[in-house]
Amino acid sequence: MRALLRGNPVAAHFVEVLTEVTAWPDVKVYGIKRQRAELESALNYGEYLRMSRHGSPKGDFAYVYAHNGVINLRLPQDTDDELLDRFALAAYRLEGGNREYRISVRIVDDETRDQAIRL
């Protein structure tokens, strides 16, 4: 993770998001495990992280990418653009990928950091 953060010119803002969100009750950050990984393989923290609220029936609520400061959020599929405009003007929709994680924010400054936290 540290190596990925070194390549991100606004890493401090990204770390502030992680610090804030992981201070919330029951929120944890995890590495990933590839689908074909051996059962006893350790979690991989070298590409992206999963943020999860312990006890949530939905599981992970965000995937975070240290190298570019992008956070893909799990929001209700019917989240409308008006709501996004009100809370996070920097949020954008992805066309592909997992349909549950199609709303993203790229953290580049204080404002986008705060928007990501609000979402």
Side-chain angles (χ1 to χ4, degrees):
M1 249 321 121
R2 286 185 180 103
L4 293 173
L5 285 169
R6 277 194 295 275
N8 182 342
V10 292
H13 294 298
F14 183 80
V15 171
E16 288 171 0
V17 170
L18 291 178
T19 302
E20 168 75 21
V21 175
T22 56
W24 298 346
D26 300 323
V27 171
K28 302 285 184 211
V29 177
Y30 299 95
I32 60 167
K33 188 171 275 197
R34 300 277 179 223
Q35 287 181 350
R36 293 189 176 104
E38 299 285 326
L39 191 57
E40 63 277 353
S41 296
L43 293 176
N44 177 345
Y45 290 85
E47 188 176 337
Y48 61 91
L49 301 172
R50 298 174 300 125
M51 297 180 91
S52 219
R53 177 167 250 141
H54 181 70
S56 168
K58 298 271 188 190
D60 303 330
F61 64 87
Y63 289 159
V64 295
Y65 298 84
H67 72 283
N68 62 6
V70 170
I71 297 181
N72 293 346
L73 297 149
R74 176 191 289 260
L75 295 175
Q77 292 178 14
D78 60 350
T79 301
D80 63 21
D81 291 336
E82 185 178 315
L83 182 69
L84 289 177
D85 288 348
R86 193 164 12 130
F87 287 104
L89 285 172
Y92 57 94
R93 292 182 188 277
L94 299 174
E95 293 296 320
N98 187 322
R99 65 188 179 106
E100 295 176 334
Y101 293 95
R102 287 196 178 159
I103 297 178
S104 297
V105 176
R106 180 182 299 270
I107 300 166
V108 296
D109 55 21
D110 291 342
E111 187 175 325
T112 53
R113 176 202 60 213
D114 294 345
Q115 289 178 27
I117 291 170
R118 278 195 300 269
L119 284 177

